[in-house]
Structure formats: structure tokens, C-alpha cells
Amino acid sequence: MSAVRQFNTRAHKALADSQLQRALAKARSGFVDKRAHAAASEPDFEHMRDQAREVRQRALANLAMCLEQFEQQVLAAGGQVHWAETPDDLRRIVIDICRDSGARAVTKGKSMVGEEAHLNVALEAAGITPWETDLGEYIIQLAKEPPSHIVAPALHKTRGQIEHLFRDAHRLGERALDEVSQLVDEARAVIRERFLNADVGITGANMLIAETGTAVLVTNEGNGDLTARLPRTHIITTSFDRVVPTWDDASKIIRVLARSATGQPITSYTSFFSGPRAGNEQDGPDQFHVVLLDNHRSALLGTEFETMLHCIRCGACMNHCPVYQAVGGHTYNAVYPGPMGAVLSPLLRGAPQDDALPNASSFCGRCEAVCPVRIPLPGLMRKLREREQQQTPAIASRWLLRLHARLSRHPALYRSLTGWGSRALALAAGGRGRLRRIPLLGGWSRERDLPAPQGGSFQQQWQARKGRG
Amino acid sequence: MAAQRIGLFATCPVDLFRPSVGFATAALLEAAGFTVEVPPQSCCGQVSYNNGLRDDAREVAWQLVQAFEPYDYTVLPSGSCAGMISHHYPALFAGDVRLPRVEDFCQRVYELTTFLVEVAGFTRLADNTASLSCTYHDSCAGLRELGIQAQPRELLGHCGGVVLKEMTDTNVCCGFGGTFCVKFGKVSAHMADAKLDNALATGADLLLGGDVSCLLHLAGRARRRGLDLQVRHIAEVLAGALSQPAIGEAAGQGSGKGRAP
């Protein structure tokens, strides 16, 4: 089955899923309105976006230096940096650290790199129980589903579905869970216990500050702090491209991150982790590990796709994408969905099924319009379409496109052919003004009528009029 | 001084499906004092470009540049094709010896409503005797690549009888997207339905837009659903050229609303 057909099979299921559609409708109005309000109430917002982009550009331009400095600072603080070329390497490194710590259970904050490496599956296989502590991640862990959004992993779930999951998992009997606040309290009670019992805490990082070897983590639940600071060992799983040179640079990213993601000026918690507990400190882990995943990212440096590494994972592109809003994240069948995922997923994983993702866009440009670091997402999707055309064997639709291009290079020939085409379609429509079924154009006519042409083509009619005049 | 010459690039969908938009465009430009010509023409290359056939797109683009560069201006009743030309042609010819000619040409290419407002300063628009209750869909490329938003509304404000009722999410994609609407038909139809429902909710009788491609898709979907909503290109309203049935409608059929009694 072709990649596009696979995407459509999932999309059709999503469109017919009334629960999912309810969840998506709620998210759409929430995220879009809140981001618009945040952008409008900050007069300097466009300038902030330019500054954030400049930080990302400069970080990548000085990548080797930044990473070297970051590693030195982490080492100086008593931590360790591990370089994982592949997801497999990352899994192995994390499991080795867990085993060295004698871990049987680990708490986890949200980490998209952890998702990318399917870390939970690997931990379980190694006999280590992963406890997700981010509410959304906890919900989808119970549901045994992957995240459907990079900021709100359980965005596809309705309140009712979450209630069912909790009732099944927590054996609650008849306790009321009608309000969202009751659901949150319920999850908190379960998760709080786990913070205290975990041997290792694994979090992601939104940024790595080179000058001090500091990992920055933003959350709204505070679960990141408890995951990072209570267990004896803290492991950060992230990718090397999160690095920024200085604290000043990090603050420039923070200014646009939450505004773009949730419309908040800043998240409830912004945590800075700089190594293990120092001798004069009361709290914090004994061990501090930063595991940096590559997974084909370094291959993007210096290529036409490098700007994709500027992404700060705010999710604004998917929140504003009409395709994502229609079909949800799982339809993309990739760790990263939506417009940023439609570019990043084919570049990282490169599975044949990912070819559908850059095609599943109407190029409406809304993603680029809201991207805090102005990544030209439609342009990058177009480049991926070019790559697909060059790398895959031609199919009938490509021959048609090429024939159209060939004809278009000869306007006189084109004019006579479209003239006949217009007339033929107009005749076929009779006086009805539209056609319901058109041979060879089933892709159009399955969903919509084809408005009939008005007799001959414009060029034909124009010539005829000028001839008379 | 002789009138300045405009090369009218009708665009494929107008050429094939909606000549009345081409004639309305010509009428508006002539009324604004320009001489209008229609040289032999085909496609702007966007179909090839967006489907990853960059080399094909460049050669299609080059025939257009050659055909239209003799004119003082090139005007199109489409934000999408105008965006393709003025926004993407320079990138398409980057590193090509033809780039200076392409850039010179692109600076003289305009979408219709932008040209009427910003170059022609033309405000003597149709004075419709019947009241036209309209809503306007901002097509994506025109809106986000060329910043077309105020221009069509300003022109409609100068147009007698027009009552504009703005819809929710007027700046959200209608789901056309070129070959997207064929490859991902149901997703595309879902997006069209959201747009059509928003348009209907305003109570307007007429859905207007600046791109016939989006409008063919929306009108086709509206007819399939049997909705009581007419669809037209803004040029027809501005020129008062409403004698042809709305897009996808038969003569003397369709909704009776929004017509002269």
C-alpha cells in the first residue's frame, strides 16, 4: 500500500472518530486563541521571534564549540555527558546507568527524545519499571499509546476516556471523577508516591546552556523538578541540537517558547539543572548524566534542511495546522506529528511510509506564520517532495504532471488543448452547471462536484471577441 | 501619453473553468485606464513546483516570463499564482543566468485587488442595485505570501450594494491545496466543510474569494452537500458581472437568495 494510502486509511478513521474530533476541536480553539492573545499582548513579539531565530542560528554555527564547552562544564560540575549516535545507543546507555544505580523503577518527565528511542519499551524489557510523571504522558502510558502531540501528549483523549483509564488502573470504585480537577488530583496522588520510590529520574531538556553546562527544562506541573531532584540519579535524554551558547540566549528562547505553545508568558516551572548535588547543597542527585542523541541530526548540518534543527518544540505549527486539526497526531504515525514532524520524521527515520507526511499539507503556510523561530516549514516539505521525486520510481501521476509541464512550455498548443477540454467538459455537463462524476478525476469527484466550464476556454473566448471587435 | 499596457495572465482555472473572471478582470483594468492584452499563456508552474518537479517548474516559469515581460505590468486574478511568481520565481532561478530578467519581471507582477488598490487607485466599482450579502475567504498564498487582506475588503467597501459579513476563521485554509485535494480527498473535504459551515453561519448568500482554484473546490463541495450558498470570484462582483450563474450553478437554478427580485 502506498504511503499516501496508508496515511489516508488512518486519516479516515480519525475523521470518523467522534471522541477524537471532540478532543481536537477543544484543543484547536484553546491553543490558537491563547497564542494569538499572547502575541497580540506583547508588542515586541515579532522582534522576540527574530532574536530567538538568531540564537538558534548562532548556536548551530558554533555547534562544536558550544558542545565542547557544555561537556567541559558538566564534567567540571561532576556530571557526565554521553554521546548516542543511534536510538539503540541511547537505550543502551540509559539502561547501563540504571543498572549501575541498581534501579528497579524510574520516574520519567516528558522527553520527546525518549519517545524517539522508544525508551519505555527498552526499560521494561530490561526489567526496569518506567513511571511517567507528566500527566499527559501518564495518561497515554495507561492507554498504551504513543503521544499525539509534542507538548500535550494526550491531546487526543477526552475527559471521559481519561476517567475510564483511571478507573481501570487505580481500582477506585465509585469515587467521583467528573471534574478535570478531580482527575488531576487522582493522578497526583498516584504519581507523588512514585517520586519518593524511584531510583532514577529521567527527564528531557528544552535547552542546554553551553557556558555553564546547564540543562533547562520547562513544565507546567512541576513533575520535572521532582523527577530530577529526588532520585539518586538524574538522567537527561535530549539531542545535541538543543544547545545554546549563553544564559542570555536561553532567556531569548524562553520568551517565545511558552507564548507560542500555550499562550503563557512563561511556564509555571522553568528549571535549571547544573550537575549533581554539590558538597554544600542539601538536595539533588548524586549522579548527573546527560545523554545526547544524534539519530541523523548531524547529517542535516550544512544542508538545505539545517533550519529544521532550529525547532524549539513549542508545537505551534501543529496547533495551527488545519490538517493536524482534522486528523490528529496519530494519523502521522510518527513520533513527531504535524508540520514540524512532516519534515523531521522523514529526515530522522526515513521510512518509506514517511514519504506521505510532507505531502499531507495544503501548503497553507500557517505553520511558518506562527513558528517562533520562523522555520520555512512548507518550503522544507517542498524540498522533501523534490527528494521523493528524485529517489522513487515514477508512477502514473508523475507522468501526468510531467506531461502537463511539457504542454505548458508551449502556450499555443496548450491553448488549443484547453479550449477543447473546456468545451468538452461544458458539453458533458449539459445545462446542469456541474458534473457529479468525471472519468479519470475520481480523486476530485468522490468528494465534490466539478463546476462546469463556461463554454470554451478564456483564451478562446477572448480571441473570438477581439476578432469580432 | 499612451495608456500603460497590462498583460493579463488569466491562470489555468480561469482559462479552463471561469472565463467570466478573466473578462471581469479585463473590464476592471480597462476601466482603470489601462490597455489589456492576453498573450498566449499556460501555467505559472506551481503545479510542478509544489509536487517536487523543480526543473519542470523552472522551464514553465521561463515561458511565462518571456511571454509577459514586454508589458508594463502583469496582473492576475489569483493570489496563489501571483505568489508563485513574485515570491517563488526568484528562488527558483537562484544561481541561473536568467535571474536578473526574472527579478525585473517579478517586480511588475500583481494580484488583481492589490493592483487596483495600490497601483491604479481605482475606486469606481460596480453599483449593484440589489443588495449582495457576502462573506470573504482569504486564500492562503495571497494572504500569507503577499499580505492580501485589506485590499479586497477596501474594494468591496467601494462597491454599491455589498454587505460584508466576516466569518470565523476567514484566514484558515479551505482544503484545496492543489493536488492535496485529490491525494487527501476526505481530509480536504473536511476542511472545506469547516469553511462552508463558517460561511453559512454568517447568513451571507455569497461566498467570495480571490482564487478560482479554491472557489471551484468550495463550490463543488457546496453543490455536493446541496448547500444554499453561492460562490463567486471577487472580480465578478467588483465589475458588476453577475450575469453568468455562480460557480457550479446552472443558469436560472441554484439558490434564489441574494439575487435581484
Side-chain angles (χ1 to χ4, degrees), chain B:
Chain B
M1 196 181 90
Q4 287 188 300
R5 289 163 70 226
I6 288 177
L8 168 57
F9 179 54
T11 75
C12 306
V14 168
D15 188 38
L16 264 167
F17 288 97
R18 202 66 189 169
S20 55
V21 171
F23 286 111
T25 303
L28 288 163
L29 296 171
E30 282 170 354
F34 296 88
T35 301
V36 177
E37 293 179 34
V38 180
Q41 52 190 263
S42 56
C43 175
C44 66
Q46 185 173 186
V47 181
S48 308
Y49 186 57
N50 281 350
N51 280 289
L53 297 168
R54 199 181 175 86
D55 294 339
D56 281 356
R58 194 182 302 108
E59 295 320 307
V60 174
W62 182 239
Q63 61 75 27
L64 188 146
V65 173
Q66 288 176 296
F68 284 87
E69 66 182 348
Y71 298 98
D72 295 306
Y73 299 104
T74 296
V75 178
L76 305 68
S78 160
S80 174
C81 305
M84 173 66 201
I85 297 172
S86 44
H87 199 75
H88 294 290
Y89 274 17
L92 201 49
F93 285 87
D96 190 305
V97 288
R98 297 170 288 186
L99 181 63
R101 262 173 81 182
V102 171
E103 282 180 326
D104 169 65
F105 167 70
C106 289
Q107 282 164 9
R108 297 178 284 120
V109 174
Y110 287 89
E111 178 274 338
L112 174 65
T113 63
T114 312
F115 184 81
L116 290 175
V117 170
E118 293 172 11
V119 180
F122 182 65
T123 54
R124 282 180 293 111
L125 297 160
D127 197 5
N128 299 290
T129 45
S131 163
L132 290 172
S133 170
C134 305
T135 191
Y136 192 84
H137 163 56
D138 293 296
S139 284
C140 299
L143 175 70
R144 279 179 271 271
E145 289 178 354
L146 302 175
I148 302 168
Q149 191 171 29
Q151 301 89 331
R153 289 170 175 80
E154 185 181 331
L155 292 169
L156 288 171
H158 290 299
C159 216
V162 169
V163 181
L164 185 64
K165 299 174 171 175
E166 295 287 2
M167 65 177 135
T168 308
D169 288 346
T170 176
N171 62 357
V172 174
C173 179
C174 69
F176 170 65
T179 49
F180 171 81
C181 79
V182 176
K183 283 184 182 168
F184 301 91
K186 277 202 197 310
V187 182
S188 162
H190 181 90
M191 291 157 71
D193 287 346
K195 177 62 60 179
L196 291 167
D197 292 343
N198 283 331
L200 280 172
T202 65
D205 305 318
L206 192 51
L207 170 60
L208 297 178
D211 274 278
V212 168
S213 50
C214 305
L215 299 176
L216 287 168
H217 156 74
L218 286 170
R221 183 68 188 171
R223 296 289 76 77
R224 179 64 56 92
R225 289 176 61 193
L227 301 180
D228 196 8
L229 182 71
Q230 295 196 333
V231 180
R232 282 187 189 274
H233 189 280
I234 184 175
E236 295 180 355
V237 171
L238 298 178
L242 303 177
S243 59
Q244 291 278 339
I247 298 174
E249 294 206 344
Q253 279 186 353
S255 86
K257 285 161 72 182
R259 296 186 175 193

Side-chain angles (χ1 to χ4, degrees), chain A residues 314-325:
Chain A
C314 69
C317 59
M318 54 197 79
N319 294 339
H320 289 77
C321 174
V323 176
Y324 180 94
Q325 287 172 353

Side-chain angles (χ1 to χ4, degrees), chain A residues 341-361:
Chain A
V343 178
L344 192 61
S345 299
L347 292 173
L348 297 188
R349 180 168 62 174
Q353 65 146 21
D354 295 333
D355 282 348
L357 306 186
N359 284 290
S361 162

Side-chain angles (χ1 to χ4, degrees), chain A residues 140-272:
Chain A
I140 60 168
Q141 188 181 26
L142 290 180
K144 298 186 170 59
E145 289 174 13
S148 68
H149 188 285
I150 61 169
V151 172
L155 177 121
H156 57 288
K157 291 284 183 214
T158 59
R159 193 207 55 79
Q161 289 173 317
I162 296 167
E163 180 185 339
H164 279 297
L165 284 170
F166 282 7
R167 287 203 185 282
D168 287 350
H170 297 177
R171 314 214 177 279
L172 295 168
E174 291 305 304
R175 186 132 48 112
L177 287 177
D178 300 326
E179 302 294 325
V180 171
S181 60
Q182 290 170 321
L183 287 173
V184 173
D185 288 345
E186 175 62 32
R188 181 181 288 136
V190 172
I191 293 169
R192 185 164 285 165
E193 196 62 30
R194 295 179 173 178
F195 285 126
L196 302 170
N197 292 322
D199 307 301
V200 171
I202 303 174
T203 68
N206 296 83
M207 274 176 285
L208 305 170
I209 304 174
E211 66 177 346
T212 53
T214 301
V216 186
L217 184 65
V218 304
T219 73
N220 275 321
E221 298 167 20
N223 65 307
D225 286 2
L226 297 173
T227 304
R229 299 279 98 176
L230 292 179
R232 292 186 307 276
T233 302
H234 179 199
I235 305 173
I236 292 169
T237 54
T238 189
S239 53
F240 68 83
D241 54 316
R242 300 295 95 204
V243 78
V244 297
T246 66
W247 278 65
D248 187 50
D249 293 327
S251 72
K252 286 175 181 161
I253 302 293
I254 288 171
R255 270 178 224 151
V256 295
L257 179 54
R259 284 187 168 93
S260 301
T262 53
Q264 297 165 284
I266 192 163
T267 42
S268 307
Y269 299 84
T270 303
S271 310
F272 299 86

